[in-house]
Amino acid sequence: MKRKGNRLSRKEWLIRLWLKQAIGNREEATGNKRGNFLFSAYCLLPIAYCLLAVVTVRGQEKDWEQQWNQTLAGARKEGAVVVVGSPDPVMRNEIIPKFKARFGVPVEFLAGRSSEIVARIRTERAAGIYSVDVFLSGPDTTATVLYPEKMLDPLRPLLVLPEVLEASKWKKGKPWFVDPEEKFILRPFISVSSLLFINTDFVKPEEIRAAKDLLNPKWKGKISTEDPTTTGAGANLAARFHYQLGANFVKKLYIEQRPVSTRERRQFTDWLARGTQPICLNCREDDVRPLEKEGFKLVEIFELTDLAPGINGSPWLMSVANRAPHPNAARLFVNWMASREGIELYSRGYGSASLRTDVDESFLNPGNIPRAGVRYFDDTDWSWVVTGRQENRDKVWKLLKSR
Amino acid sequence: MSSIAASVQAGIRLSRFRLAEFGALLFFTLVMGLPIIFLLLSSLNVAPPGKEAAFGLANWSRAFSDPGTLSALWMSFLLSVTHLVPGMILSVMMAWLIARTDMPGRNLIEFLCWFGYFVPDFPLVLAWILLLDPSFGFLNTVAAALPFVQGPLFNPYSFWGIVWVHLATGGVWFKVMLLTPIFRRLGAALEEAGRVAGASSLTVLWRISLPALLPAILAVAALSFIRGLESFNTELLLGTPVGIYVYATRIYDYTRHDPPAFGEATALGSVFLLVLAVLAFFYQRRLKGKKFTVVTGQGYSTLRARLGKWKYVALGGCLLYFAVMMALPLSFLLLGSLMRRYGFFNLRSPFSLIHWQNLLTDPLFFLSLKNSLVIAAATALASVALYSTVGYLLASRKVRSAPVLELLCWLPWVVPGILMSLGLLWMFLATPLRSVLYGSVWGIALALTIKESPVGTQAFKAAFLQLGADLEEAARVSGASWRYTYRRILVPLVAPVAATVGLISFGSALTSISTPVLLYSARSRPLAILLMEYSFSGEVERAAALGLLITAIVSVMMLLGRKVVLPLISRDEG
């Protein structure tokens, strides 16, 4: 971005200089041979500059095209790219067939819960086996296992596609690497996360304006949550409540209000639709959307007056395994995944707002798109994931065990 | 001279026997003992991952100092015992009716038990929720229309709800599957003697058949008790909403920690080893010095008890049980796979074939199907071959290392699935055969074969215990080699058990998730992993469709198996 910024200002400076010289000197130099020569020279200067720019760009194009073609040829020779992540319908239904059709390289996707993935990779590596090329993993696994245990290679140098590198294609002015060294872990998504969902047949939106409204005795037993006593979205939200609203609020909400908890996301989505528990703390946008289409009056609440709205990097952060068995295929895959096509597939599949500027957002719930000037709580923020969340989660667990 | 030759022959036979014992012991120590030693050692390693090992008890003390651990263990024990007792009574009755009486339609009842066992748990529990939920459950809605009913009659989110669903989802089917072939092998001579002495059919069952089948019944009870302690899927769906946590859920929580806490999980899992040791002690004590031979070379007959008019009552009872416990939820499961959203009948046009279409057009489906069939067939064959030998060794009472061998065979069920999978992963990667085993269908088949060892060994051991030594002796006197005797006399006599073990292994290999989850690669992904992916990503309807498809595959195998086994049984009976 800096390099690009400097080039632009140099161009501006040249144009200004040329205008000053040309116009100023023209007046002075009318009828003067030297002045005419200078004038012609000034006229030719931008043309020469343009030519130079074209040649340079062509050169760069040739350069990336060459790299890209080499990568593609290498990937085809390697025969596959091994990607690891959570069970993922977008990967299964969209990415695998599209990537194969486009590049002729099959995607071998290993799905599992993060704990299973971690167990597998650690054991493999202890035995000297390196089977994975690319990780599409959640922030916890990425920040607390993959990065600190040095399982990754820098991803930034692998990005070659102009549409991936071009500053104007990213809302942050560049691809966002979230790790402390800013080169290993790419975050392509930034969605406003819902705080809760309500079924308006049972709960009026004006009844839940603030987080403290959830403590109304009227809602006792009417709130569902993913089990906050174990790792997962339920505990993460409770940790956030603990951090932003304090221990007393958590105690009241999770103990006194007797929320109904489950580990099965389908269960609380169904409860929400049926109105058994018309307030859902951890329902997912991609689970609720089909029910909204069926006519259920379900509303996603993004903001509460006493709680800063949140953003997250769902569905995944992308990183490349070190000693990847298919380095070219991995490079091909990460470039394509970071491109408009790859990101848009996930954006549509999960209803997540991306960080790319060229991804169609018309299909998104406007509430999911972060607004300028609003201060958000970032649930995928590195230090929050590594320390803050864990500390608050531990405090929540201690509180809940004391009930 | 001839006596010297005979003793030399016996010596060779014994040394072959020792060789087989040594081979079995070595194999089981390697594939079952080593992963567990690895897990136990890892649980004592308190160093952060990637750092040099440092040993201590921190993981153990953390796991056991959790205030919820003890209450969860107690809850598991209560649940397991509560559904074990009625489950065993029903199973013994049903196995007896199928195998030892002239109840009409007994083959159908047996087939239904098999079918019921292989219907996957997860969608079936969801079906029970649809039936019993206090606010929208079908049965509660129907009951609410009755004038004398106020409020919901049923509630699956309770202790008794969990017990009920356990009884419906394999609590009885599994036991009947294991007990029926054992009952079949029971010679009728003893029963006939009882009847001649004037005892009723039930008295004969209580005083003669059950004591004669004690080893098998105790083994099945022990298997079921351990399975009950390890169970957590049903408890997760039905117990969590009302704060019922079981011990296996605690272990599961540690394994899915971020980062995973396998040390703590192993520490908690070690309690199962203790339970196993206690069970094994009582099992041995109960059977010590007793003989359970029911099949001898003399006048073996398997004539069935005549129930008279009661046979129709028995059939009616069995069918009613199936109608309530299986047909009802199964119809909801089938319906679920045909609904746009499982259980939502109030949608506009609620039925659709879209989930079946999506399943059959999933690019991963056919590869997974092929992998699953290869894995399941290999597992079934390997289980029968391996565990018939081990069962024979254990039943022969000549094995010096029998207690150790038996303990090793139990281990795969004592260690929670994901931990066993981790142990096996470590073992596969540590062997020179890793390129063949790791990530391949053969590695998964081996892991699943190992996982099925308690069922295989216990079923075969119980079957061989029923065979009298005079059968082998008669063959030997007639000049038959041990191999010939084994192949032509013993194996045909235990064929029904072999078919049962083969089919259970086949079905379990198709449905097991926790064993292959760390061992599969994209090329060896089985259907069960695809099912897990569907369930995990909220595609319950597609999961239900796949679950039904897996059940259909197992049913076809069962029909084929019965085509082979039934003639053997009727030949015996004839």
Side-chain angles (χ1 to χ4, degrees):
Chain A
M1 177 61 196
K2 247 178 195 169
R3 206 156 49 93
K4 191 87 184 163
N6 287 346
R7 201 190 296 159
L8 282 172
S9 60
R10 199 183 306 136
K11 206 190 293 174
E12 271 178 15
W13 178 79
L14 276 168
I15 291 165
R16 276 184 197 164
L17 181 73
W18 172 72
L19 282 172
K20 191 183 164 207
Q21 294 285 335
I23 296 162
N25 289 346
R26 176 88 177 110
E27 281 169 359
E28 281 171 22
T30 348
N32 181 332
K33 270 188 183 174
R34 191 172 165 267
N36 280 339
F37 168 75
L38 276 175
F39 179 71
S40 311
Y42 285 132
C43 286
L44 287 172
L45 195 64
I47 297 166
Y49 178 80
C50 289
L51 278 173
L52 192 67
V54 167
V55 169
T56 313
V57 169
R58 274 291 160 99
Q60 281 175 348
E61 264 175 25
K62 255 195 169 167
D63 194 32
W64 83 257
E65 270 178 359
Q66 204 175 358
Q67 279 190 53
W68 184 248
N69 290 334
Q70 277 172 0
T71 305
L72 188 56
R76 284 181 179 151
K77 212 170 167 186
E78 287 160 3
V81 55
V82 180
V83 182
V84 165
S86 293
D88 178 352
V90 176
M91 172 60 74
R92 224 175 30 241
N93 303 329
E94 308 269 358
I95 302 293
I96 293 175
K98 286 211 166 106
F99 189 78
K100 171 89 190 291
R102 187 163 296 270
F103 303 109
V105 179
V107 178
E108 296 190 351
F109 183 59
L110 293 180
R113 292 183 171 90
S114 59
S115 55
E116 291 157 0
I117 290 169
V118 167
R120 188 179 178 133
I121 306 293
R122 274 183 186 156
T123 316
E124 274 188 357
R125 285 176 173 241
I129 290 179
Y130 296 83
S131 69
V132 178
D133 296 308
V134 178
F135 295 105
L136 299 180
S137 47
D140 282 292
T141 308
T142 314
T144 62
V145 179
L146 303 181
Y147 179 78
E149 292 183 25
K150 303 196 185 313
M151 293 186 184
L152 306 177
D153 257 355
L155 167 58
R156 203 205 316 232
L158 301 181
L159 299 178
V160 285
L161 276 183
E163 70 153 309
V164 173
L165 290 171
E166 205 174 305
S168 64
K169 302 291 185 200
W170 295 96
K171 288 176 185 170
K172 279 185 142 335
K174 60 177 178 180
W176 189 13
F177 288 88
V178 291
D179 55 286
E181 293 165 80
E182 295 186 29
K183 61 181 178 183
F184 287 96
I185 299 155
L186 180 69
R187 174 174 172 179
F189 299 97
I190 189 162
S191 268
V192 178
S193 44
S194 54
L195 285 164
L196 52 108
F197 285 82
I198 56 169
N199 184 330
T200 56
D201 278 338
F202 301 88
V203 183
K204 305 264 175 301
E206 56 272 19
E207 288 181 287
I208 310 281
R209 291 277 184 222
K212 67 175 183 334
D213 293 335
L214 292 169
L215 306 181
N216 187 334
K218 192 177 169 183
W219 309 128
K220 203 173 205 169
K222 294 288 169 193
I223 301 168
S224 71
T225 171
E226 188 174 317
D227 191 354
T229 63
T230 185
T231 318
N236 289 351
L237 185 64
R240 188 179 153 197
F241 282 151
H242 187 274
Y243 177 71
Q244 291 186 292
L245 298 167
N248 203 28
F249 178 83
V250 170
K251 210 171 167 180
K252 283 181 176 162
L253 179 64
Y254 287 97
I255 299 174
E256 290 171 20
Q257 283 299 76
R258 297 185 182 279
V260 181
S261 63
T262 176
R263 316 258 174 107
E264 179 51 48
R265 68 193 238 203
R266 181 60 178 264
Q267 243 177 334
F268 47 67
T269 315
D270 283 358
W271 290 338
L272 174 74
R274 292 182 196 281
T276 335
Q277 272 74 38
I279 302 171
C280 179
L281 295 182
N282 292 107
C283 281
R284 289 172 50 146
E285 211 268 335
D286 50 322
D287 286 342
V288 173
R289 214 181 326 147
L291 287 165
E292 285 176 330
K293 283 183 189 158
E294 295 291 353
F296 288 93
K297 292 174 188 160
L298 310 178
V299 170
E300 193 172 3
I301 292 179
F302 296 100
E303 290 179 22
L304 295 170
T305 53
D306 51 357
L307 189 70
I311 47 172
N312 65 42
S314 174
W316 42 253
L317 302 173
M318 183 161 67
S319 52
V320 174
N322 53 16
R323 301 179 68 175
H326 313 104
N328 287 297
R331 187 178 206 183
L332 188 73
F333 185 81
V334 292
N335 273 279
W336 184 72
M337 276 313 303
S339 73
R340 190 185 66 77
E341 191 179 3
I343 296 292
E344 191 163 319
L345 285 172
Y346 267 98
S347 192
R348 281 182 185 275
Y350 282 95
S352 301
S354 82
L355 276 156
R356 287 194 67 98
T357 53
D358 53 356
V359 166
D360 177 22
E361 292 185 333
S362 60
F363 54 84
L364 287 174
N365 180 336
N368 279 128
I369 303 167
R371 286 176 289 130
V374 178
R375 205 178 152 83
Y376 290 100
F377 173 87
D378 189 355
D379 207 42
T380 309
D381 176 73
W382 191 265
S383 62
W384 169 248
V385 173
V386 172
T387 53
R389 182 191 280 165
Q390 284 195 9
E391 283 168 14
N392 282 277
R393 205 164 52 188
D394 288 345
K395 285 175 188 166
V396 168
W397 285 345
K398 210 172 166 187
L399 262 177
L400 295 182
K401 276 172 188 167
S402 68
R403 63 182 152 178
Chain B
M1 188 67 192
S2 65
S3 68
I4 293 170
S7 67
V8 167
Q9 224 177 14
I12 292 169
R13 200 161 42 241
L14 203 66
S15 67
R16 274 189 193 156
F17 198 86
R18 291 276 164 265
L19 201 66
E21 180 189 350
F22 179 73
L25 204 62
L26 186 71
F27 175 78
F28 286 109
T29 308
L30 275 175
V31 301
M32 290 168 195
L34 277 186
I36 286 165
I37 291 169
F38 159 75
L39 287 170
L40 287 173
L41 281 177
S42 304
S43 76
L44 296 171
N45 182 4
V46 290
K51 305 277 182 235
E52 203 172 320
F55 293 97
L57 289 171
N59 293 332
W60 286 64
S61 67
R62 204 165 27 247
F64 285 107
S65 61
D66 189 320
T69 301
L70 212 62
S71 59
L73 184 60
W74 176 239
M75 181 53 75
S76 283
F77 180 79
L78 271 186
L79 275 169
S80 197
V81 169
T82 311
H83 66 75
L84 178 72
V85 174
M88 278 310 292
I89 295 170
L90 282 166
S91 316
V92 167
M93 283 301 291
M94 222 177 263
W96 177 70
L97 287 170
I98 292 168
R100 306 294 313 143
T101 71
D102 62 345
M103 181 180 74
R106 49 187 183 272
N107 286 338
L108 172 74
I109 299 294
E110 190 184 5
F111 178 82
L112 288 174
C113 283
W114 281 83
F115 185 81
Y117 177 67
F118 290 112
V119 179
D121 276 7
F122 176 73
L124 210 57
V125 178
L126 289 183
W128 276 112
I129 291 174
L130 291 180
L131 283 164
L132 303 179
D133 190 280
S135 53
F136 59 81
F138 176 73
L139 293 182
N140 279 319
T141 315
V142 171
L146 301 171
F148 50 86
V149 173
Q150 285 181 343
L153 269 186
F154 310 104
N155 184 6
Y157 307 108
S158 63
F159 180 88
W160 293 107
I162 294 172
V163 170
W164 176 267
V165 172
H166 266 298
L167 283 173
T169 55
V172 170
W173 323 134
F174 169 73
K175 298 180 190 82
V176 176
M177 284 162 67
L178 288 175
L179 287 172
T180 307
I182 309 291
F183 267 94
R184 256 193 201 115
R185 294 262 57 85
L186 180 65
L190 292 170
E191 291 178 341
E192 278 165 25
R195 272 194 289 272
V196 167
S200 69
S201 291
L202 277 179
T203 311
V204 168
L205 170 68
W206 180 248
R207 302 290 299 273
I208 296 172
S209 310
L210 292 186
L213 296 175
L214 199 63
I217 293 171
L218 285 181
V220 172
L223 279 170
S224 305
F225 182 69
I226 296 261
R227 272 168 67 99
L229 284 184
E230 279 197 357
S231 155
F232 73 94
N233 265 334
T234 307
E235 288 78 0
L236 216 55
L237 284 167
L238 303 178
T240 315
V242 286
I244 295 177
Y245 292 97
V246 291
Y247 195 66
T249 319
R250 284 271 179 255
I251 296 175
Y252 171 73
D253 283 350
Y254 279 118
T255 61
R256 65 185 287 261
H257 237 266
D258 238 336
F262 288 114
E264 286 87 336
T266 306
L268 291 188
S270 65
V271 166
F272 292 135
L273 283 172
L274 198 70
V275 173
L276 174 67
V278 172
L279 284 177
F281 172 74
F282 283 111
Y283 181 75
Q284 295 295 342
R285 215 176 110 159
R286 189 78 183 82
L287 305 188
K288 203 171 179 183
K290 292 179 184 164
K291 281 193 170 182
F292 298 92
T293 307
V294 289
V295 182
T296 65
Q298 297 157 10
Y300 172 67
S301 111
T302 56
L303 280 180
R304 293 168 178 276
R306 295 182 188 283
L307 295 178
K309 61 184 176 186
W310 287 102
K311 64 186 177 188
Y312 298 107
V313 178
L315 176 66
C318 287
L319 288 178
L320 181 69
Y321 188 79
F322 278 103
V324 174
M325 297 306 239
M326 196 170 70
L328 199 60
L330 201 67
S331 55
F332 268 72
L333 177 59
L334 181 64
L335 218 58
S337 75
L338 297 170
M339 293 185 78
R340 280 198 294 131
R341 184 150 183 117
Y342 196 49
F344 281 77
F345 295 95
N346 52 343
L347 302 181
R348 291 181 300 270
S349 55
F351 296 101
S352 161
L353 285 172
I354 187 75
H355 305 298
W356 283 93
Q357 278 169 8
N358 286 342
L359 172 67
L360 298 174
T361 53
D362 188 326
L364 299 180
F365 173 72
F366 283 103
L367 177 65
S368 305
L369 177 65
K370 192 189 90 184
N371 290 334
S372 272
L373 290 177
V374 173
I375 290 167
T379 306
L381 290 174
S383 296
V384 171
L386 186 64
Y387 300 124
S388 62
T389 314
V390 178
Y392 174 79
L393 287 174
L394 290 174
S396 69
R397 296 183 193 252
K398 292 178 205 158
V399 176
R400 286 175 195 160
S401 55
V404 179
L405 192 56
E406 186 137 13
L407 186 79
L408 286 170
C409 293
W410 272 98
L411 286 180
W413 271 23
V414 176
V415 180
I418 180 77
L419 293 179
M420 192 66 203
S421 186
L422 182 63
L424 287 171
L425 170 68
W426 172 82
M427 192 196 72
F428 283 2
L429 292 178
T431 64
L433 286 172
R434 72 184 186 189
S435 58
V436 181
L437 295 176
Y438 184 48
S440 73
V441 287
W442 308 115
I444 297 173
L446 177 60
L448 289 164
T449 306
I450 293 165
K451 185 73 185 163
E452 286 310 310
S453 78
V455 181
T457 43
Q458 292 309 313
F460 275 112
K461 182 188 155 189
F464 280 117
L465 274 176
Q466 292 180 312
L467 305 184
D470 55 341
L471 293 170
E472 276 188 82
E473 276 161 24
R476 211 162 40 233
V477 167
S478 311
S481 67
W482 178 83
R483 200 179 297 166
Y484 187 84
T485 311
Y486 185 77
R487 192 160 49 86
R488 296 299 301 270
I489 296 175
L490 301 182
V491 168
L493 280 172
V494 296
V497 175
T500 306
V501 170
L503 283 172
I504 290 182
S505 307
F506 186 91
S508 302
L510 280 183
T511 51
S512 172
I513 293 174
S514 60
T515 304
V517 76
L518 299 182
L519 304 173
Y520 83 96
S521 69
R523 286 170 206 177
S524 59
R525 175 192 268 104
L527 282 178
I529 295 294
L530 199 59
L531 183 80
M532 183 266 295
E533 290 182 37
Y534 293 154
S535 304
F536 190 87
S537 51
E539 299 164 277
V540 175
E541 297 79 9
R542 213 190 309 192
L546 181 53
L548 282 169
L549 199 75
I550 290 175
T551 312
I553 295 170
V554 182
S555 303
V556 170
M557 286 310 296
M558 276 185 322
L559 287 173
L560 289 174
R562 291 172 71 83
K563 273 233 175 260
V564 176
V565 175
L566 274 181
L568 285 172
I569 297 166
S570 36
R571 200 170 60 200
D572 287 346
E573 288 178 6

